[in-house]
Amino acid sequence: MTPADLNPVRDQIASRIIGQQKFVDSMLVCLLSDGHLLVEGLPGLAKTTAVKALAEALEGDFHRIQFTPDLLPSDLIGTDIYRHEKGEFEFRAGPLFHNVLLADEVNRAPAKVQSALLEAMAERQITVGQRTYPLPGFFMVLATQNPIEQEGTYHLPEAQLDRFLMQAVVTYPTRDEELRILELDSQQRKGQTPSTTTRLSQAELFAMRRDVANLYLDPRLHHYIVDLVQATRIPRAYDADLDRWCRFGASPRASIALARCARARAWLDGDPFVAPHHIQSVAPEILRHRLLLTFEAEAEGVTTDIFINRLLNLVAIP
Protein backbone atom coordinates (compact mmCIF):
# COMPACT_ATOMS: atom_id res chain seq x y z
CA MET A 1 0.00 0.00 0.00
CA THR A 2 1.12 3.57 -0.72
CA PRO A 3 -0.05 7.03 0.43
CA ALA A 4 -1.77 7.38 -2.96
CA ASP A 5 -4.22 4.67 -1.87
CA LEU A 6 -5.59 7.18 0.65
CA ASN A 7 -6.46 9.68 -2.10
CA PRO A 8 -10.13 8.59 -2.27
CA VAL A 9 -10.43 9.35 1.44
CA ARG A 10 -8.76 12.74 0.97
CA ASP A 11 -11.02 13.50 -2.00
CA GLN A 12 -14.13 12.61 0.00
CA ILE A 13 -13.12 14.96 2.81
CA ALA A 14 -12.09 17.71 0.36
CA SER A 15 -15.53 17.53 -1.27
CA ARG A 16 -17.09 18.51 2.07
CA ILE A 17 -14.42 20.63 3.77
CA ILE A 18 -12.55 23.68 2.49
CA GLY A 19 -9.04 24.20 3.86
CA GLN A 20 -8.20 22.86 7.34
CA GLN A 21 -5.36 20.78 5.88
CA LYS A 22 -3.64 20.40 9.26
CA PHE A 23 -6.85 19.05 10.76
CA VAL A 24 -7.36 16.61 7.87
CA ASP A 25 -3.78 15.37 8.21
CA SER A 26 -4.33 14.84 11.94
CA MET A 27 -7.38 12.68 11.21
CA LEU A 28 -5.42 10.55 8.74
CA VAL A 29 -2.42 10.19 11.07
CA CYS A 30 -4.75 9.12 13.88
CA LEU A 31 -6.53 6.66 11.57
CA LEU A 32 -3.24 5.07 10.47
CA SER A 33 -1.97 4.95 14.05
CA ASP A 34 -5.06 3.10 15.35
CA GLY A 35 -5.92 5.82 17.84
CA HIS A 36 -8.69 8.19 18.90
CA LEU A 37 -8.93 11.89 18.07
CA LEU A 38 -10.20 14.83 20.11
CA VAL A 39 -11.22 17.82 17.97
CA GLU A 40 -11.57 21.24 19.57
CA GLY A 41 -12.88 24.39 17.95
CA LEU A 42 -15.52 27.06 18.14
CA PRO A 43 -19.03 26.30 16.83
CA GLY A 44 -19.53 26.41 13.08
CA LEU A 45 -16.03 25.40 11.99
CA ALA A 46 -17.14 22.10 10.35
CA LYS A 47 -15.74 19.78 13.02
CA THR A 48 -18.69 17.41 12.80
CA THR A 49 -18.87 17.64 9.01
CA ALA A 50 -15.20 16.68 8.66
CA VAL A 51 -15.56 13.68 10.96
CA LYS A 52 -18.67 12.48 9.12
CA ALA A 53 -16.87 12.86 5.78
CA LEU A 54 -14.03 10.67 7.06
CA ALA A 55 -16.44 8.03 8.33
CA GLU A 56 -18.33 7.95 5.04
CA ALA A 57 -15.07 7.25 3.18
CA LEU A 58 -14.34 4.16 5.32
CA GLU A 59 -15.88 0.70 5.29
CA GLY A 60 -17.62 0.06 8.58
CA ASP A 61 -20.51 1.00 10.83
CA PHE A 62 -20.79 4.64 11.80
CA HIS A 63 -22.77 6.08 14.68
CA ARG A 64 -23.13 9.62 15.94
CA ILE A 65 -24.20 10.39 19.47
CA GLN A 66 -24.93 13.86 20.80
CA PHE A 67 -23.52 14.31 24.29
CA THR A 68 -25.90 16.16 26.58
CA PRO A 69 -26.04 16.77 30.37
CA ASP A 70 -28.80 14.15 30.79
CA LEU A 71 -26.94 11.37 28.93
CA LEU A 72 -26.39 8.14 30.90
CA PRO A 73 -23.42 5.72 30.70
CA SER A 74 -25.76 2.95 29.54
CA ASP A 75 -26.70 5.14 26.55
CA LEU A 76 -23.13 4.55 25.34
CA ILE A 77 -22.24 1.10 26.60
CA GLY A 78 -25.56 -0.70 26.39
CA THR A 79 -27.42 -2.58 29.07
CA ASP A 80 -28.77 -5.98 30.13
CA ILE A 81 -32.47 -6.38 29.35
CA TYR A 82 -34.57 -9.04 31.04
CA ARG A 83 -36.47 -11.27 28.59
CA HIS A 84 -39.57 -12.70 30.25
CA GLU A 85 -40.10 -15.32 27.57
CA LYS A 86 -36.57 -16.69 28.10
CA GLY A 87 -36.34 -16.02 31.83
CA GLU A 88 -32.85 -14.51 31.44
CA PHE A 89 -31.00 -11.29 30.79
CA GLU A 90 -29.88 -10.36 27.29
CA PHE A 91 -27.26 -7.74 26.51
CA ARG A 92 -28.27 -4.98 24.12
CA ALA A 93 -25.15 -3.30 22.72
CA GLY A 94 -24.84 0.47 22.70
CA PRO A 95 -23.27 2.87 20.19
CA LEU A 96 -19.72 2.00 21.33
CA PHE A 97 -19.93 -1.26 19.38
CA HIS A 98 -19.77 0.53 16.03
CA ASN A 99 -16.54 0.89 14.06
CA VAL A 100 -16.50 4.70 14.02
CA LEU A 101 -18.14 6.67 16.81
CA LEU A 102 -18.64 10.41 16.59
CA ALA A 103 -18.98 11.77 20.12
CA ASP A 104 -20.39 15.17 19.28
CA GLU A 105 -19.72 17.91 21.84
CA VAL A 106 -18.28 15.40 24.27
CA ASN A 107 -17.68 18.04 26.95
CA ARG A 108 -21.41 18.79 27.22
CA ALA A 109 -21.85 15.63 29.33
CA PRO A 110 -20.63 15.32 32.94
CA ALA A 111 -17.64 13.21 33.97
CA LYS A 112 -19.73 10.15 34.87
CA VAL A 113 -20.81 9.76 31.24
CA GLN A 114 -17.41 10.64 29.82
CA SER A 115 -15.81 7.95 32.00
CA ALA A 116 -17.93 5.34 30.19
CA LEU A 117 -15.50 5.76 27.29
CA LEU A 118 -12.38 4.90 29.31
CA GLU A 119 -12.34 1.10 29.04
CA ALA A 120 -13.53 1.15 25.44
CA MET A 121 -10.84 3.57 24.28
CA ALA A 122 -7.93 2.00 26.17
CA GLU A 123 -8.70 -1.71 26.08
CA ARG A 124 -11.12 -2.07 23.15
CA GLN A 125 -13.67 -3.88 25.31
CA ILE A 126 -16.78 -3.20 27.40
CA THR A 127 -17.61 -4.70 30.78
CA VAL A 128 -21.26 -4.90 31.81
CA GLY A 129 -21.99 -6.67 35.06
CA GLN A 130 -19.80 -9.78 35.18
CA ARG A 131 -19.30 -10.13 31.43
CA THR A 132 -16.79 -8.49 29.09
CA TYR A 133 -17.55 -7.88 25.42
CA PRO A 134 -14.84 -7.18 22.81
CA LEU A 135 -15.22 -4.24 20.45
CA PRO A 136 -14.65 -4.50 16.68
CA GLY A 137 -11.08 -4.77 15.39
CA PHE A 138 -11.54 -1.41 13.70
CA PHE A 139 -12.74 0.95 16.40
CA MET A 140 -12.17 4.68 16.43
CA VAL A 141 -13.63 7.45 18.58
CA LEU A 142 -13.65 10.95 17.12
CA ALA A 143 -14.88 13.42 19.71
CA THR A 144 -15.62 17.08 19.13
CA GLN A 145 -15.68 19.72 21.83
CA ASN A 146 -16.15 23.45 22.09
CA PRO A 147 -13.61 25.40 24.16
CA ILE A 148 -14.03 24.92 27.88
CA GLU A 149 -14.88 28.61 28.34
CA GLN A 150 -18.11 28.13 26.38
CA GLU A 151 -21.30 28.03 28.45
CA GLY A 152 -22.56 24.61 29.55
CA THR A 153 -19.32 22.67 29.13
CA TYR A 154 -17.32 20.46 31.50
CA HIS A 155 -13.62 19.70 31.75
CA LEU A 156 -12.78 16.25 30.43
CA PRO A 157 -11.11 14.08 33.10
CA GLU A 158 -7.34 13.83 32.73
CA ALA A 159 -7.59 10.03 32.51
CA GLN A 160 -9.87 10.32 29.49
CA LEU A 161 -7.80 13.01 27.80
CA ASP A 162 -4.76 10.74 28.03
CA ARG A 163 -6.60 8.06 26.08
CA PHE A 164 -6.98 10.32 23.05
CA LEU A 165 -3.99 9.74 20.81
CA MET A 166 -4.13 13.30 19.45
CA GLN A 167 -5.96 16.58 19.94
CA ALA A 168 -6.55 18.71 16.86
CA VAL A 169 -7.50 22.37 17.10
CA VAL A 170 -9.68 23.76 14.31
CA THR A 171 -9.22 27.45 13.57
CA TYR A 172 -11.12 30.03 11.52
CA PRO A 173 -10.74 29.80 7.73
CA THR A 174 -8.92 32.43 5.73
CA ARG A 175 -10.82 34.98 3.64
CA ASP A 176 -10.25 33.04 0.39
CA GLU A 177 -11.29 29.77 2.06
CA GLU A 178 -14.48 31.36 3.35
CA LEU A 179 -15.35 32.54 -0.16
CA ARG A 180 -14.90 28.95 -1.36
CA ILE A 181 -17.10 27.77 1.50
CA LEU A 182 -19.90 30.00 0.20
CA GLU A 183 -19.45 28.51 -3.29
CA LEU A 184 -19.52 24.97 -1.90
CA ASP A 185 -22.68 25.70 0.08
CA SER A 186 -24.34 27.05 -3.06
CA GLN A 187 -23.40 23.90 -4.99
CA GLN A 188 -24.70 21.66 -2.21
CA ARG A 189 -28.03 23.46 -2.17
CA LYS A 190 -28.32 22.87 -5.92
CA GLY A 191 -27.41 19.21 -5.51
CA GLN A 192 -24.23 19.57 -7.56
CA THR A 193 -21.79 17.93 -5.13
CA PRO A 194 -20.61 14.40 -6.08
CA SER A 195 -21.65 11.43 -3.97
CA THR A 196 -19.23 8.93 -2.45
CA THR A 197 -18.33 6.23 -4.99
CA THR A 198 -15.59 4.24 -3.24
CA ARG A 199 -14.82 3.46 0.37
CA LEU A 200 -11.54 2.34 1.88
CA SER A 201 -12.00 -1.27 2.98
CA GLN A 202 -10.95 -2.44 6.42
CA ALA A 203 -8.51 -4.90 4.82
CA GLU A 204 -6.81 -2.01 3.00
CA LEU A 205 -6.73 0.04 6.18
CA PHE A 206 -5.16 -2.79 8.19
CA ALA A 207 -2.56 -3.27 5.43
CA MET A 208 -1.68 0.44 5.64
CA ARG A 209 -1.37 0.20 9.41
CA ARG A 210 1.04 -2.72 9.06
CA ASP A 211 3.16 -0.70 6.61
CA VAL A 212 3.19 2.21 9.05
CA ALA A 213 4.18 -0.03 11.98
CA ASN A 214 7.08 -1.46 9.96
CA LEU A 215 8.51 1.93 9.01
CA TYR A 216 12.06 2.33 10.32
CA LEU A 217 12.54 4.42 13.45
CA ASP A 218 16.17 4.82 14.49
CA PRO A 219 16.93 3.93 18.14
CA ARG A 220 18.49 7.37 18.58
CA LEU A 221 15.06 8.87 17.85
CA HIS A 222 13.62 6.68 20.62
CA HIS A 223 15.94 8.60 22.94
CA TYR A 224 14.76 11.90 21.43
CA ILE A 225 11.12 10.98 21.99
CA VAL A 226 11.77 10.00 25.60
CA ASP A 227 13.78 13.19 26.16
CA LEU A 228 10.85 15.29 24.92
CA VAL A 229 8.40 13.58 27.25
CA GLN A 230 10.81 13.61 30.18
CA ALA A 231 11.32 17.33 29.63
CA THR A 232 7.62 17.92 30.33
CA ARG A 233 8.10 16.25 33.73
CA ILE A 234 11.41 17.88 34.70
CA PRO A 235 11.33 21.18 32.78
CA ARG A 236 13.71 22.80 35.28
CA ALA A 237 16.53 20.84 33.63
CA TYR A 238 15.97 22.87 30.44
CA ASP A 239 14.56 26.28 31.28
CA ALA A 240 13.41 28.24 34.32
CA ASP A 241 10.30 29.55 32.55
CA LEU A 242 9.26 26.04 31.52
CA ASP A 243 9.58 25.00 35.15
CA ARG A 244 7.31 27.86 36.23
CA TRP A 245 4.74 27.09 33.59
CA CYS A 246 4.21 23.32 33.93
CA ARG A 247 2.43 21.59 36.83
CA PHE A 248 2.22 18.05 35.43
CA GLY A 249 3.91 16.49 32.42
CA ALA A 250 2.89 13.85 29.92
CA SER A 251 2.47 10.15 30.66
CA PRO A 252 4.26 7.24 28.93
CA ARG A 253 1.30 7.10 26.54
CA ALA A 254 2.74 10.27 25.03
CA SER A 255 6.00 8.50 24.18
CA ILE A 256 4.12 5.66 22.53
CA ALA A 257 1.92 8.12 20.64
CA LEU A 258 4.92 10.12 19.39
CA ALA A 259 6.53 7.00 17.93
CA ARG A 260 3.33 5.74 16.33
CA CYS A 261 2.23 9.07 14.89
CA ALA A 262 5.71 9.99 13.65
CA ARG A 263 5.73 6.75 11.65
CA ALA A 264 2.30 7.59 10.22
CA ARG A 265 3.41 11.13 9.35
CA ALA A 266 6.53 9.81 7.57
CA TRP A 267 4.45 7.23 5.68
CA LEU A 268 1.98 9.89 4.52
CA ASP A 269 4.91 11.99 3.32
CA GLY A 270 6.22 9.03 1.33
CA ASP A 271 9.45 8.83 3.33
CA PRO A 272 11.11 5.43 3.96
CA PHE A 273 12.09 6.25 7.55
CA VAL A 274 11.21 8.56 10.41
CA ALA A 275 13.18 11.81 10.75
CA PRO A 276 13.22 14.30 13.65
CA HIS A 277 10.94 16.73 11.79
CA HIS A 278 8.24 14.05 11.62
CA ILE A 279 8.30 13.80 15.42
CA GLN A 280 8.24 17.57 15.80
CA SER A 281 5.31 17.96 13.39
CA VAL A 282 3.03 15.68 15.44
CA ALA A 283 4.28 16.69 18.89
CA PRO A 284 1.79 19.57 19.46
CA GLU A 285 -1.27 17.37 18.74
CA ILE A 286 0.06 14.64 21.04
CA LEU A 287 1.26 16.76 23.97
CA ARG A 288 -1.19 19.68 24.17
CA HIS A 289 -3.95 17.75 25.97
CA ARG A 290 -1.56 15.84 28.22
CA LEU A 291 0.05 18.86 29.90
CA LEU A 292 -1.34 20.76 32.85
CA LEU A 293 -0.01 24.30 33.12
CA THR A 294 0.27 26.39 36.26
CA PHE A 295 -1.98 29.30 37.16
CA GLU A 296 1.08 31.49 36.70
CA ALA A 297 1.36 30.39 33.07
CA GLU A 298 -2.32 31.10 32.47
CA ALA A 299 -1.95 34.55 34.01
CA GLU A 300 0.94 35.27 31.62
CA GLY A 301 -1.08 34.11 28.64
CA VAL A 302 1.10 31.05 28.07
CA THR A 303 -0.71 28.25 26.23
CA THR A 304 0.27 24.62 25.91
CA ASP A 305 1.29 25.27 22.29
CA ILE A 306 3.68 28.01 23.41
CA PHE A 307 5.11 25.63 25.99
CA ILE A 308 5.54 22.84 23.43
CA ASN A 309 7.18 25.09 20.83
CA ARG A 310 9.70 26.28 23.40
CA LEU A 311 10.32 22.70 24.46
CA LEU A 312 11.01 21.62 20.88
CA ASN A 313 13.56 24.42 20.57
CA LEU A 314 15.39 23.41 23.75
CA VAL A 315 15.54 19.60 23.60
CA ALA A 316 18.54 18.53 21.56
CA ILE A 317 18.01 16.54 18.36
CA PRO A 318 20.33 13.50 18.11
Side-chain angles (χ1 to χ4, degrees), residues 38-51:
L38 178 63
V39 185
E40 181 177 303
L42 292 168
L45 296 182
K47 302 184 298 295
T48 301
T49 302
V51 171

Side-chain angles (χ1 to χ4, degrees), residues 117-129:
L117 292 168
L118 293 179
E119 183 182 15
M121 294 173 65
E123 303 174 43
R124 308 300 174 95
Q125 65 180 29
I126 293 295
T127 299
V128 179

Side-chain angles (χ1 to χ4, degrees), residues 154-276:
Y154 300 83
H155 283 277
L156 296 182
E158 285 76 11
Q160 183 183 353
L161 284 171
D162 201 27
R163 284 163 169 79
F164 283 103
L165 187 70
M166 305 175 72
Q167 180 187 8
V169 175
V170 183
T171 57
Y172 285 118
T174 64
R175 185 178 187 278
D176 289 341
E177 289 172 347
E178 196 150 359
L179 287 172
R180 291 166 57 197
I181 289 172
L182 291 178
E183 295 175 3
L184 178 61
D185 178 70
S186 177
Q187 293 172 3
Q188 289 175 338
R189 289 182 176 276
K190 296 176 183 178
Q192 296 176 355
T193 54
S195 58
T196 305
T197 56
T198 60
R199 304 175 79 188
L200 185 73
S201 70
Q202 292 189 28
E204 292 173 321
L205 175 59
F206 293 151
M208 292 178 183
R209 287 179 174 177
R210 287 192 295 269
D211 291 342
V212 168
N214 291 328
L215 205 68
Y216 180 69
L217 178 62
D218 192 279
R220 289 174 295 178
L221 291 183
H222 285 168
H223 290 275
Y224 180 53
I225 288 171
V226 172
D227 287 344
L228 284 174
V229 176
Q230 287 284 327
T232 67
R233 303 173 195 161
I234 49 171
R236 62 182 178 276
Y238 293 88
D239 184 78
D241 285 335
L242 292 182
D243 189 39
R244 289 190 303 107
W245 293 342
C246 190
R247 290 175 60 194
F248 296 104
S251 75
R253 281 197 183 102
S255 300
I256 296 171
L258 279 169
R260 287 165 55 183
C261 293
R263 282 189 169 98
R265 180 68 267 174
W267 187 86
L268 282 172
D269 291 344
D271 295 329
F273 56 86
V274 177

Side-chain angles (χ1 to χ4, degrees), residues 4 16 18 24-25 55 77 89 104 119 132 160 175 242 266 286:
R16 304 278 296 278
I18 300 298
V24 174
D25 285 345
I77 298 172
F89 284 93
D104 208 5
E119 183 182 15
T132 299
Q160 183 183 353
R175 185 178 187 278
L242 292 182
I286 290 169

